[in-house]
Amino acid sequence: MSATLTVGVVTFPGSLDDRDAARAVTASGATAVSLWHGDTDLKGVDAVVLPGGFSYGDYLRGGAIARFSPVVAEVIRAANDGMPVLGICNGFQVLCEAHLLPGALVRNAGLRFICRDQQLTVENASTRWTSGYTEGETITIPVKHGEGRYVATADTIAELEAEGRVAFRYQGGNPNGALNDIAGITNAAGNVVGLMPHPEHAIDLLTGPSADGLTMFTSVLKSLVAA
Amino acid sequence: MTPTIDTVGNAEQTPDVEQPFAELGLKDDEYATIREILGRRPTDTELAMYSVMWSEHCSYKSSKVHLRQFADDAPTSDAMLVGMGENAGVVDVGDGLAVTFKVESHNHPSYVEPYQGAATGVGGIVRDILTMGARPIAVMDSLRFGDADAPDSRRLVPGVVAGVGGYGNCLGLPNIGGEVGFDPSYAGNPLVNALCVGVLPHHRLQLAQAKGAGNQVVLLGAKTGRDGIGGVSVLASATFEAGSETKRPSVQVGDPFTEKILIECCLELFDAGLVTGIQDLGGAGLSCATSETAGHGDGGMHINLETVPLREASMTPIEVITSESQERMLAIVEPAKVAEVLALCDKWGVIATVIGEVTDGERLVITWHGETVVDVPPRSLADDGPVYQRPVARPDDEQDALNANGSKTLPRPTTGDELRATLMRMVASPELCSRSWVTEQYDRFVLGGTVLATPNDGGLVRLGDDTTRGIALALDGNGRFTKLDPHDGAQLNLAEAYRNVACTGATPLAVTDCLNFGSPEDPGVMWQFAEATRGLAEACRELGTPVTGGNVSFYNQTGSTAINPTPVIGVLGVIDDVAKRVPSGFTAAGRQIVLLGETHDELDGSAWAWVEHGHLGGHPPAVRLDAEQALAGLLAAAARDGLIDAAHDLSEGGLAQALVEAALINGIGATVALGGDTFTALFSESSARAIVTTDAADALLATAAAQGVPAVSIGTTGGDAIEVEGEFAVSLAELRVAFEGTLPALFG
Amino acid sequence: MARVIVDVMPKPEILDPQGQAIARALPSLGFDNVTSVRQGKRFEIEVDGGDPLDVANRAAEAMLANPVIEDFTVRIED
Amino acid sequence: MARVIVDVMPKPEILDPQGQAIARALPSLGFDNVTSVRQGKRFEIEVDGGDPLDVANRAAEAMLANPVIEDFTVRIED
Ligand SMILES: Nc1ncnc2c1ncn2[C@@H]1O[C@H](COP(=O)(O)OP(=O)(O)O)[C@@H](O)[C@H]1O
Ligand SMILES: [Mg+2]
């Protein structure tokens, strides 16, 4: 039955991990549908992934230009209607710039791009994208970014913490200086999740440090079937 | 610059005008040859084109006679689809797939502006691979700097590394390996060599030819600006001198985003069969792309130069034709397909402009607002440049003294404590310490096909989602061995890259090389070059791995002192099933560690001599190509049959370094018992050796015996220390601090 | 044709690692009396038609600055 | 204590991919009359002692700007 479920993967000019995200969608059992930045409809998909990369070169700020593309307008509309949306790395930046998630991602504290296998604690296992994990579980997922330091006003941080909206936290070393070791967050409804680490690069042991990332893609499928 | 344009008509009427050919780097006789070819004096624009195309960098005038051996003596290989002479060689890897790869230098630009120099070096080699019709799938980089704590290195290392990473990361190409070296001979002249590999279905192969009169010449990509004008001749074909800053061309700035969409756009053009020829714009810009495609076609070409989209309207024809602006390609398109090409480019947001057409004449004619500024036979620019048989002379006094000064007299550690202290200093030295400060700045995951990357011996990528087939690559150079003996040193460099590929479980197939040397006008340097190329050609033939292409970088010196001669060698291998790949790190405790190959007392030119004594002299380790081949055969068989679960080659730093690296990767220690002289066993750099781990030692030793590879079990994996029985033990925690702390402490 | 300058600076309460790194590095070059550095962005934009200041203001608000982390000012180049 | 502004811009002949990316994007947001954008850096530095302009000039030359590809100007904040 899940074979009929479709997950859209958006390609902006400069998206890099779009094929990888599509591969992870396929590995989870859904059908990946590519969406182009200029598309004005979502082709009937059941969920959307905004993948990693450097949309439009990201010279200004990560995601700053991509958020104005026609397809993102549709994603915003759908997300507000409850569609599951996952933003990975650059996709997380787009979600913040588009105000689907609060806060912003700025230059890493070390001022360098960093690529490494990163341990994360799953803090919220009840979102559409994290229900397959157990709360408090440690997973290993690669990070690779130059602008991944999560910042927000003190009020926003307090609100995220109070409402349990921190989805993932860095463990065993914070790679970028993110406030409260925040690696990923969710919106209040739990359908929109953004994170800096790359679950699509952790779907098998041949090409990734673990297969822990696949759970994000299978979680959303289960939630869609249940819905 | 005269405001009026020097036309062909004008040149005919004013034969006696003085021309600044010497300032442009042309010799008297070269200028005379140009006049002879044209039957008149060249126009200003023609002169500029000849000067860049006949520069050392573009024409290979000093190296051509030596490089010929790579083709003439090449081993016969059924795998070779396109050999030397194209933008990059193409190798068949089965299943209808082919692979193309090449390494190229960007040394001098990286010294001038480390970030942009390195970035545009990556951008340039990626376009070479794209030009063959391939999708680029990975990059590697080989970097060399002066002493790690030299002020120059503080400026260059962070900039170069950020530039390699910045461009490759934004392009979405995994970096799967490379090397970083430090030696005072590179102070003031760092080496920045970048490699790219791509994959293509056989039918998508593209060639850089302009065929078919009436076909349109379309320029794709970035607008043309004043970047790097004269860069090729000025920067890469002359020695740096203090105070030469003013001669430096304006720096090329890379735009990886534009390159990314250019790649996607070109691949769609290829797949749709919309182009009949394609060439990247690199060194010498349009001069090179137009003359090479026309020269390799079947007719001539007419370019309307004023139609080239410009960043600055005030550019002169000379500037437009020699600009080295990045992220541009030149496509040859049938008239009926032009509209489709322009539409596809528009979809990607790539600027595409028809700037001329293929003609049935034999001339490359370039006009500027209707006035003819160039009218030349294209091959005279691209192929028929000067060829020099430069004087070659072994610098006997210097070389004999160097070879006579062996390492035998250096004091060696003898007690367990001394050996331990030596090991700790060596693993913490810039020479041998962890490279993760560098490699953490590179994305190795993107594209989802990376099976092995840093810190493994070789990079290994799967060729697609629907195949188990993969390719392995290693990139190696050792300027000290080559300094001691250019012939044997070059062979050892090749052997090391070959061995690294073999350690991944892949079978070595083909070679690319970047030959970094001093000034070709120095007969001693030319001797090094002649010896190195001879050694390389011989070894390639013996190992059955042809050179498919590469690059020569001369004039790497500061003042009159040349760098250590540094051939950087890339070896490509194939593996049928990437799941059989063999990593370098110990993967489990309780495995037997087997040492393959023979260890001799060979410490001249070693990391030990350098790190502990600052010594370089004597003769490099013996070259054992038969043994290398046997070792590679054994490793491939053992990987295929699942006999080994880790393999690490022994090179710089010897067995000691290999054990430390293999242990630290997954935090699994080892206990070894070394017979004979422990010092030699630990630190000798004899070639043709590797360590492997196995839980089927009997089968492995039997296979090794059958294949004639010396093999001996030296211990077992496990624990949280490295222990050399009867000598010393050191915890992994202590080793890790020493190994990993050095580069962060130096570079932040 | 008017040229407008848009200056975008990190909000005072937002950490500025680039500025801090420079402030830390300057003393080693002998610049002891530089006590603080903040790094932002400067845009020079050419506007042809419309009210240039208004156009620049709207462009900054929409895209050039991120109000969560940055403040901006706009002025005609003098 | 003086506050000095250092403006650093890419040299005119040097490619400015950042500015170009913005200039390409603005029209789609309705900013048709923005004809060109160049992006540089702005530093606010506090100098305590010495000749602030001179200090800033030397700091810019040594560290804040990359003279190979960038020009800079220095002024006391008004
Ligand atoms: N060291 C070398 N070994 C083998 N082939 C080489 C070497 N140096 C240059 N070549 C070959 O000579 C040709 C011209 O080289 P190059 O000018 O670097 O190509 P491009 O113009 O595409 O950059 C290429 O086919 C290249 O592979
Ligand atoms: Mg080329």
Side-chain angles (χ1 to χ4, degrees), chain A residues 13-17 19-20 23 36 54 56-57 59 112-117 142 144 201 205-207 209, chain B residues 135 169-170 172 255-257 260 264 348 437 440-448 450-451 465 578 581 748:
Chain A
S15 289
L16 304 177
D17 303 305
R19 282 158 220 262
D20 306 39
R23 186 184 300 116
W36 183 241
F54 294 84
Y56 302 90
Y59 294 112
R112 279 193 300 272
F113 186 93
I114 183 153
C115 172
R116 71 180 189 207
D117 300 344
K144 42 169 221 181
H201 292 319
L205 283 168
L206 190 64
T207 57
Chain B
R135 171 176 282 282
N169 296 342
C170 290
D255 179 2
F257 169 65
K260 167 69 180 167
E264 298 302 333
W348 280 102
W437 182 88
E440 276 196 349
Q441 299 185 50
Y442 302 154
D443 181 352
R444 61 179 182 276
F445 292 101
V446 64
L447 297 183
T450 306
V451 175
D465 286 341
V578 291
R581 53 70 175 88

Side-chain angles (χ1 to χ4, degrees), chain B residues 718-737:
Chain B
D720 50 14
I722 288 185
E723 181 177 353
V724 180
E725 278 181 0
E727 301 285 0
F728 66 88
V730 51
S731 75
L732 296 188
E734 190 182 345
L735 280 169
R736 192 178 295 285
V737 168

Side-chain angles (χ1 to χ4, degrees), chain B residues 87 102 104 124 127-128 131 279-280 282 292:
Chain B
N87 284 295
K102 186 174 165 187
E104 208 161 63
R127 284 192 302 281
D128 265 339
T131 295
Q279 171 71 305
D280 61 296
E292 283 193 359

